[in-house]
Amino acid sequence: AQSKDLAGLTLVFPADDGAFDVFCWAWIPQETAREHEKTDHVPYREWAKMGLVELTPGDVIDHRYVSECIVAVHERFRMVELAFDPFGATQLVTPLQEDHGILCVKVAQVFANLSEPMNLTLTLARTGKLRHGGNPLLRWQAGNVAAQVSKFDPKVVRPYKAKSTGRIDNMVGLYMALSRAIVHGSETEYVGA
């Protein structure tokens, strides 16, 4: 996440029936939450009361705080690996790897990495096999995702924001987590991004 934006973590849990259970965490600076409510047209502070978003201290994302939360999630669920966008993630990922032994895997935001999991997400959603408990944050972000189509193949896509104020962090995290789950197949229990 950029310093004043939303940061997100999405875990996928493969199920025996071919479905995936999805859990999300999100963080936004406490002092900018009200401003973001006006631009994004969503109730961040209400979502914080519901436990869907955590308000980090200050007016910028506290990466140390987010890192501590990720470590707690890892200790609870024993993530096999944590997929991350290599653009601007060094200060968050380095201590997770070096200090906590979390296997962090770069997933660049390119067609080759995101097309298959993005298409899988649509299939899972249409067949009722993408289970997220009706999470309003994830639903809102899903509505902000548009598909950029490759000029070489119309079936090859990657996500982008449909509008500048839309946030898609947890959805991109879902695609990255699914990309790693696809690689691991049935050998893994939990993958996060």
Side-chain angles (χ1 to χ4, degrees):
Q2 299 299 319
S3 61
K4 293 187 181 268
D5 286 338
L6 188 73
L9 172 68
T10 305
L11 294 186
V12 296
F13 298 76
D16 291 338
D17 62 355
F20 285 87
D21 293 309
V22 179
F23 293 92
C24 299
W25 290 261
W27 300 270
I28 194 165
Q30 183 173 5
E31 293 181 22
T32 64
R34 183 184 303 260
E35 173 187 328
H36 281 297
E37 284 179 341
K38 292 176 185 173
T39 59
D40 297 352
H41 308 290
V42 293
Y44 287 117
R45 291 172 296 158
E46 186 64 34
W47 284 349
K49 291 176 187 172
M50 297 168 62
L52 300 172
V53 175
E54 288 191 54
L55 305 176
T56 66
D59 65 350
V60 295
I61 289 286
D62 183 341
H63 287 98
R64 214 169 345 166
Y65 180 85
V66 172
S67 179
E68 290 170 7
C69 293
I70 291 172
V71 169
V73 169
H74 176 63
E75 289 173 353
R76 180 176 175 197
F77 295 109
R78 296 184 212 175
M79 292 182 296
V80 172
E81 59 188 37
L82 179 69
F84 71 96
D85 177 357
F87 181 75
T90 305
Q91 68 177 331
L92 181 65
V93 170
T94 300
L96 291 173
Q97 293 181 114
E98 293 178 359
D99 301 339
H100 302 285
I102 297 174
L103 176 60
C104 297
V105 178
K106 292 180 186 178
V107 177
Q109 308 298 288
V110 297
F111 289 108
N113 293 337
L114 298 177
S115 185
E116 185 177 2
M118 193 171 175
N119 286 316
L120 175 60
T121 300
L122 289 173
T123 300
L124 292 169
R126 287 182 183 134
T127 59
K129 292 189 173 189
L130 186 69
R131 301 185 291 235
H132 57 77
N135 184 313
L137 174 73
L138 195 61
R139 282 181 183 266
W140 169 67
Q141 288 188 23
N144 293 330
V145 174
Q148 179 181 6
V149 179
S150 167
K151 62 183 177 182
F152 302 108
D153 185 344
K155 293 182 228 153
V156 176
V157 294
R158 72 177 187 151
Y160 75 97
K161 292 195 293 188
K163 55 187 176 183
S164 63
T165 58
R167 310 271 178 225
I168 62 172
D169 305 83
N170 288 100
M171 286 301 297
V172 172
L174 172 62
Y175 304 140
M176 290 192 301
L178 283 173
S179 77
R180 301 308 302 159
I182 290 167
V183 168
H184 288 285
S186 61
E187 72 187 57
T188 186
E189 291 183 41
Y190 315 120
V191 181

